[in-house]
Each structure stands twice: as structure tokens, then as C-alpha cells.
Amino acid sequence: VATLVADEPAQTLSEINSAALTRLLWYSGLAFALTSIGLISYALWLASRIRRLGQATAMVLQDGLTGSVENRAIKASRRKDELGELSRQYAGMMQRIEGYTQYLQSLSGKLSHEIRTPVAIVRSSLDNLHQAKDAEEREKYLRRAGEGIERLSGILSAMSQSTAIEAAIEQAEQSVFQPANILQDLVQAYRDIYVGTPILLQLANGVEGLKIEGAADLFAQMMDKLVDNAVDFCQGEICISLEVTGQNLELVIANDGPLLAEGMQENLFDSLVSLREESSEKPHLGLGLFVVRRIVEFHRGQISARNRPDGSGVEFVIELPLASF
């Protein structure tokens, strides 16, 4: 019987263990260093994005103190993280503030233009009234002065109504309602009000039970302004239709009459834009369709205006998303 005995010195085993421990410590230290560098780099990157967003906000606020909010320093990020969403929210908010600021800046010029004519009528009528020699002539100038005052009253009424609707939009609570039912009631009322203008309602199959999220009273006010606008320009009949297109309800208000001028489809819904003649008896500050767009945006929809393909008139197209259950 043969026996093989292997004898390893204890010092050699200790050196092997020490070398393994050293390598483990080196690898652990290297991993820790790389991880630390990565985390610090990521933190610096996030800090730089937050810093840029803060600087852009400070720049916009500084411009606001000087009376101008036209600075576009806040850019909407395309990143899908929380900071990207925050930058998009900031950019959207600044876009709305910029639009409202431009509206306020142009309001004074528009109002002075609208008020100038009735004020001139009242002033000239009162001046001529002092020089009138007979009762018939005085009556004529008094009537003209009254017409000027009525026009001023209409301007103030239009501004008050627009302000009230804007406040209602800000304070409105979301609910679910059926637009087809509201349209049926509204169209019947419109037929009683606008007796000389035929108003048709076309509901596609299946739309009567569909619902959208929003405010029913704001929806009705939106329709009031669109129909009133259509009646002013209508030279035939008005057709209101509702149908389903994909996941949206498509509402179309069309009227026979003059076509939109080239390029007006895009800015027709801006504030203080009006296509009516200057000699129109009713004052129009160009706020109606601007309010309509605000109501459509409240319902997370889109609105556009276009000429009919056959050239017979104009149609307003509103797309509203269906309520999700």
C-alpha cells in the first residue's frame, strides 16, 4: 500500500487568502467609485436642468416686470421624465399668459376704435341739438344721441358677457353629459328665436347615447355664440350635425353665405378678430369666437373653421373626445 502525503505551508495559504481579499477590495472600491461617479454625474445633470428651468422662469418674470411677456426662454422638453413634464407645463402656461397679455395690450386699441364712433355720434348730436331751431330737428338729434348711447351700452354688455364666461370657465366643474340631447333642445329654441333662418339638425345613428366630459351650460353657451355668428352671415340655411369619428364626436355648424378670406381660418379664433362690416349696427369686439375656442379647450377638444368644398358657405368643425368609463 502506497500513501501520498501533500504538505502545504500555512504561509502560502495565508498569502492566497490575502491576495483574494485584496482583489475583492479593489473590485469593490472600483465599483463603488464608478457608481459614485455615475450618481454624481446624474445629479449634476438633473441640477443643470433644474437650474436652466429656474433661470428661464426668472427671465420671464423679469420681462413681466417690464411689461412684456414675449420671452420664449422656457422651451418644452421632449423628455418623458418629471422634469420634462414640468417644463412642458411651464411652457404651456407661459404660452397662455403671453396670449392673454397680447389680448390685454390690443384691447385698449380695439376699444378706442369701437368707442370712438358712438362717442362722436353723441357729441355731434348734442352740439347740433343746441343749434336746432325747431322741435322736429331737436328730435332727430336726440334720436341719434340715443343710438350712440345704445351702441356704447352694447359694447359694455359684450365685454361683461365675455368676462362672465371666462370666469365660468375657470370655475366650472367637470361632469358627464349627452350633447345630442342638449342639441335637440337648443335647436328647437333657436328655431323660435331666429324665425327667418331655417336651422336643421342631423344626428348620426348611435350618437344620442354617447357622452362627453365637461360642463353642459358652457357647451350651450358655445352653441349660442356659434349659431348667433352663423345667423349673422347666413344667406340660406344653417345645418348642425353630430357624428362619431374614431374616439371623438364631431360637431359641425355650417351656414350658407360668404366664404372666409384667405388666411383667416387660422386666426379667426384669436381675440379681437371680427369679419363683420364696420357699419354693422351691433358692436362686435371679436370676443365671441375667442370664447368659443376657450370652451372647446376646456372640453379637451379642437375647433377649426373652413370653407365648404362646394363653395356654398362656411362650416365650423369641433372634435370632442368621448367620455372614458
Side-chain angles (χ1 to χ4, degrees), residues 4-317:
L4 177 62
V5 178
D7 187 11
E8 181 69 23
Q11 184 177 1
T12 302
L13 292 175
S14 177
E15 292 175 352
I16 294 174
N17 293 335
S18 178
L21 180 60
T22 301
R23 286 194 299 272
L24 178 61
L25 291 176
W26 271 104
Y27 292 152
S28 299
L30 180 61
F32 178 77
L34 292 175
T35 303
S36 299
I37 293 173
L39 291 176
I40 292 174
S41 300
Y42 182 70
L44 292 175
W45 176 66
L46 288 179
S48 66
R49 292 178 61 191
I50 296 175
R51 189 182 304 110
R52 288 196 300 270
L53 185 58
Q55 292 173 349
T57 305
M59 189 179 301
V60 171
L61 292 176
Q62 183 63 32
D63 290 341
L65 294 177
T66 61
S68 173
V69 194
E70 297 181 0
N71 192 292
R72 298 183 180 275
I74 298 182
K75 304 295 183 181
S77 174
R78 296 183 179 180
R79 299 184 182 276
K80 298 182 179 180
D81 55 9
E82 288 77 5
L83 283 177
E85 178 63 23
L86 181 62
S87 71
R88 289 189 291 274
Q89 294 291 341
Y90 269 38
M93 178 184 66
M94 293 312 304
Q95 185 177 4
R96 292 184 60 184
I97 293 177
E98 180 180 347
Y100 192 68
T101 302
Q102 292 176 353
Y103 158 69
L104 292 177
Q105 290 174 346
S106 59
L107 180 61
S108 60
K110 179 70 175 181
L111 285 179
S112 64
H113 175 74
E114 290 287 340
I115 293 175
R116 187 181 298 114
T117 299
V119 168
I121 292 175
V122 174
R123 181 181 298 168
S124 63
S125 299
L126 293 178
D127 291 340
N128 293 327
L129 182 62
H130 290 294
Q131 303 175 4
K133 297 180 179 180
D134 53 43
E136 183 179 353
E137 193 174 2
R138 286 194 295 269
E139 180 67 23
K140 181 182 68 174
Y141 291 128
L142 284 174
R143 185 171 59 253
R144 287 184 57 191
E147 292 173 355
I149 293 174
E150 285 291 333
R151 187 175 180 88
L152 285 173
S153 177
I155 292 174
L156 295 177
S157 176
M159 292 185 60
S160 300
Q161 183 184 23
S162 175
T163 302
I165 295 179
E166 283 280 351
I169 293 174
E170 297 296 332
Q171 301 173 5
E173 296 182 358
Q174 294 278 351
S175 61
V176 178
F177 63 93
Q178 297 178 352
N181 295 342
I182 296 178
L183 286 176
Q184 290 176 335
D185 295 336
L186 289 176
V187 168
Q188 185 58 50
Y190 296 149
R191 289 169 179 167
D192 296 335
I193 296 173
Y194 307 107
V195 179
T197 303
I199 301 178
L200 308 179
L201 177 62
Q202 299 176 353
L203 299 178
N205 293 332
V207 299
E208 295 188 15
L210 298 180
K211 300 178 180 180
I212 63 174
E213 296 180 6
D217 55 340
L218 290 179
F219 181 85
Q221 293 184 59
M222 175 193 74
M223 289 299 305
D224 290 345
K225 291 191 173 299
L226 286 173
V227 171
D228 180 69
N229 179 81
V231 169
D232 286 344
F233 292 96
C234 185
Q235 297 177 353
E237 64 180 18
I238 297 174
C239 181
I240 302 173
S241 62
L242 185 67
E243 62 181 14
V244 181
T245 57
Q247 297 299 317
N248 299 325
L249 276 179
E250 184 178 85
L251 173 63
V252 179
I253 298 93
N255 66 271
D256 299 329
L259 303 180
L260 294 174
E262 188 68 25
M264 285 301 299
Q265 290 91 337
E266 297 297 329
N267 58 5
L268 186 61
F269 299 96
D270 294 341
S271 61
L272 305 177
V273 173
S274 178
L275 297 179
R276 291 173 174 84
E277 299 293 336
E278 295 291 335
S279 59
S280 174
E281 295 182 358
K282 295 190 300 181
H284 295 282
L285 300 181
L287 298 175
L289 294 181
F290 174 72
V291 171
V292 167
R293 187 186 69 178
R294 292 277 288 110
I295 295 177
V296 172
E297 291 174 349
F298 173 80
H299 289 86
R300 297 180 293 110
Q302 296 180 345
I303 184 171
S304 60
R306 64 194 182 196
N307 294 322
R308 280 176 165 177
D310 58 3
S312 61
V314 176
E315 58 185 13
F316 291 83
V317 182

